[in-house]
């Protein structure tokens, strides 16, 4: 279903803040702060590092609070095909179970979530056939029990290619019954410049509420992330508007209808042609974060973070951060005290060609610390999430060198 979209474009002056990186090898990381005699003492602590053979890298991570632990997702080579998988570990990274979910055609996995009923769901895409067929790919949602056993699988899409990029769950007591389900976001590729953002809403039993496409007058677009604040009916969706006039944006949608409450783009010095990778609602000050990567200029790109008012009326601040080379954002986590941790990759974060980094900033955007992880070769982060005790877990892939 097509829905025309107009977007308010906000111009922001770029305030670049230089940050320096230290070195420590890690792929999964927890960090925290502690108060020492009335002063804030920042501690960057590598609590554990684990590597897991078989999977070709983690694409997302969720935290399971019902049965404490982490849930990782990605894809694994299944010979003639590629299958999604999930791994459950405890908070020390020890593997509890591993399951892959095969299909006659290759499936992709790009996001995972967990709900209060101790149920899991991943999203990605289902490959329906060879290139050039009438229906190549559909948005895939696969729901499991807390132990990874399959509950249902839905592949949704009525156009040539629809791909899920991120997923979130909602749970809220309704007036008559408990309301629960999953919402995925991604992109619809109709070829040429006809790319659109797609939002797919499935109820907890797998039945479809809607699969809506969003068009932008200024160019093709694709959605990259979604955040549904607890006990609300709001969807915050990160969108990249592409084409000759490209910019990052956030849409605020109604959960039940996907009607647009507001939408805001970010542009101006340092933000034109930037790409958003993540959005998060910040309960601490009732704002919404935009996190991504600026355009490549003179061989370098920076990390950008912008904070919007939750009602969409404007932004509080927008800042770019220079790690020192080609810097690319991968995700964000927000702590209860409003501090923000951005994860990503940079060719200046260590001796390897690409290394992961974690950067912690204050609620107002001022750097606290940045730490690089990796060694010789490539060690990259793809996603991060909050962890117990004020920490952050970052996951990605390593080529095994260093």
């Amino acid at each position: 279903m097509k829905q025309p979209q107009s977007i308010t474009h906000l111009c922001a002056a770029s305030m670049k803040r230089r940050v320096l990186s230290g070195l420590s090898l890690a792929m999964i990381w927890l960090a925290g702060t502690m108060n020492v005699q009335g002063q804030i003492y920042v501690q960057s602590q590598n609590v554990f590092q684990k590597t897991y053979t078989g999977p070709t890298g983690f694409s997302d991570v969720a935290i399971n609070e019902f049965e404490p632990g982490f849930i990782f997702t990605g894809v694994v080579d299944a010979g003639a095909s590629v299958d999604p998988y999930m791994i459950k570990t405890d908070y020390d990274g020890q593997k509890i179970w591993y399951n892959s979910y095969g299909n006659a055609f290759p499936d992709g996995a790009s996001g995972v979530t967990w709900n209060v009923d101790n149920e899991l769901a991943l999203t990605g895409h289902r490959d329906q056939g060879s290139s050039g067929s009438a229906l190549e790919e559909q948005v895939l949602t696969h729901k499991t029990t807390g132990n990874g056993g399959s509950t249902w699988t839905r592949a949704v899409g009525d156009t040539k290619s629809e791909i899920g990029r991120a997923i979130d769950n909602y749970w809220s007591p309704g007036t008559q019954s408990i309301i629960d389900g999953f919402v995925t976001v991604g992109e619809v590729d109709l070829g040429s410049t006809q790319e659109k953002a797609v939002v797919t809403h499935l109820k907890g039993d797998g039945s479809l509420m809607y699969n809506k496409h969003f068009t932008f007058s200024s160019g093709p677009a694709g959605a990259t992330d979604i955040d549904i604040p607890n006990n609300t009916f709001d969807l915050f969706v990160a969108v990249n508007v592409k084409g000759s006039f490209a910019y990052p944006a956030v849409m605020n949608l109604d959960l039940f209808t996907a009607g647009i409450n507001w939408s805001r783009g970010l542009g101006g010095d340092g933000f034109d042609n930037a790409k958003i990778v993540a959005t998060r609602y910040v309960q601490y000050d009732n704002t919404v974060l935009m996190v991504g990567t600026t355009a490549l200029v003179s061989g370098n790109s920076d990390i950008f973070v912008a904070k919007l008012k939750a009602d969409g009326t404007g932004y509080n601040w927008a800042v770019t951060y220079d790690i020192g080379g080609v810097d690319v954002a991968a995700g964000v986590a927000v702590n209860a005290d409003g501090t923000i941790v951005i994860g990503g990759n940079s060719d200046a974060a260590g001796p390897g060609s690409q290394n992961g980094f974690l950067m912690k900033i204050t609620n107002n955007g001022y750097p606290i610390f940045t730490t690089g992880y990796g060694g010789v070769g490539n060690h990259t982060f793809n996603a991060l999430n909050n962890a117990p005790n004020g920490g952050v877990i970052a996951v990605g892939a390593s080529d095994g060198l260093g």
Side-chain angles (χ1 to χ4, degrees):
M1 179 176 179
K2 298 179 181 178
Q3 183 165 338
Q5 166 67 3
S6 62
I7 195 158
T8 300
H9 196 62
L10 302 176
C11 291
S14 173
M15 297 180 291
K16 180 171 286 192
R17 293 175 181 164
R18 176 80 179 183
V19 292
L20 301 177
S21 59
L23 256 236
S24 177
L25 178 64
M27 289 304 296
I28 300 176
W29 179 89
L30 301 174
T33 62
M34 60 182 70
N35 194 291
V36 180
Q37 295 180 346
Q39 295 181 340
I40 297 297
Y41 169 73
V42 178
Q43 181 185 39
S44 174
Q45 181 183 8
N46 183 21
V47 177
F48 70 81
Q49 174 194 345
K50 297 286 183 180
T51 57
Y52 304 85
T53 59
T56 57
F58 298 131
S59 59
D60 197 16
V61 57
I63 182 170
N64 187 331
E65 298 175 0
F66 186 84
E67 293 181 352
F70 301 115
I71 306 295
F72 308 140
T73 194
V75 295
V76 63
D77 189 347
S81 183
V82 176
D83 294 335
Y85 69 84
M86 286 193 284
I87 293 177
K88 168 72 181 294
T89 74
D90 61 21
Y91 284 153
D92 294 321
Q94 300 299 318
K95 186 164 64 176
I96 298 175
W97 55 257
Y98 165 89
N99 277 327
S100 62
Y101 308 95
N103 178 50
F105 297 102
D107 288 343
S110 53
V112 66
T113 189
W114 160 88
N115 66 20
V116 295
D117 293 324
N118 193 31
E119 298 168 325
L120 311 172
L122 63 81
T123 191
H125 67 275
R126 168 148 292 178
D127 191 332
Q128 298 289 351
S130 61
S131 177
S133 62
L135 185 63
E136 293 179 12
E137 296 168 309
Q138 293 180 301
V139 175
L140 173 71
T141 305
H142 187 90
K143 181 180 177 181
T144 77
T145 65
N147 293 321
S150 295
T151 303
W152 51 255
T153 301
R154 286 296 307 269
V156 177
D158 54 8
T159 57
K160 185 175 182 181
S161 179
E162 302 192 19
I163 298 174
R165 298 296 186 192
I167 187 170
D168 203 358
N169 71 85
Y170 64 89
W171 183 95
S172 182
T175 55
Q176 301 294 328
S177 61
I178 299 299
I179 303 169
D180 71 297
F182 303 94
V183 182
T184 66
V185 298
E187 61 194 42
V188 180
D189 187 359
L190 301 177
S192 184
T193 59
Q194 303 180 64
E195 192 173 326
K196 304 174 183 179
V198 61
V199 179
T200 306
H201 183 168
L202 297 174
K203 296 181 182 179
D205 62 3
S207 58
L208 178 66
M209 285 195 68
Y210 55 75
N211 182 53
K212 288 196 174 183
H213 300 170
F214 294 84
T215 60
F216 291 77
S217 59
S218 52
T224 59
D225 196 23
I226 181 173
D227 190 31
I228 308 174
N230 292 336
N231 299 315
T232 73
F233 300 131
D234 285 319
L235 310 179
F236 294 101
V237 180
V239 177
N240 284 313
V241 181
K242 307 174 185 179
S244 57
F245 181 56
Y247 54 88
V250 170
M251 298 191 299
N252 177 251
L253 308 179
D254 178 83
L255 171 66
F256 298 106
T257 66
I260 301 170
N261 297 323
W262 56 261
S263 59
R264 293 291 179 266
L266 183 67
D269 180 24
F271 301 105
D272 287 340
N273 298 306
K275 298 183 184 304
I276 187 171
V277 298
T279 185
R280 288 292 182 275
Y281 173 74
V282 183
Q283 184 176 5
Y284 180 82
D285 57 2
N286 192 35
T287 56
V288 180
L289 284 176
M290 301 171 66
V291 176
T293 307
T294 66
L296 191 67
V297 177
S298 301
N300 292 320
S301 60
D302 296 330
I303 307 303
F304 81 82
V305 182
K307 180 170 280 194
L308 299 172
K309 300 180 190 303
D311 60 4
T313 56
Y315 60 89
N316 292 348
W317 50 264
V319 180
T320 60
Y321 302 88
D322 179 16
I323 306 297
V326 179
D327 310 326
V328 179
V332 65
V334 181
N335 297 316
D337 62 0
T339 55
I340 302 160
V341 180
I342 299 100
N345 306 294
S346 175
D347 59 4
S353 55
Q354 281 289 320
N355 287 280
F357 71 84
L358 293 171
M359 177 176 64
K360 187 172 185 178
I361 62 176
T362 69
N363 184 52
N364 294 319
Y366 291 94
I368 299 175
F369 64 78
T370 302
T371 305
Y373 297 87
V376 178
N378 295 289
H379 308 267
T380 56
F381 291 145
N382 293 329
L384 66 156
N385 209 332
N386 293 96
N389 302 317
V392 172
I393 179 166
V395 299
S398 171
D399 61 12
L401 301 176

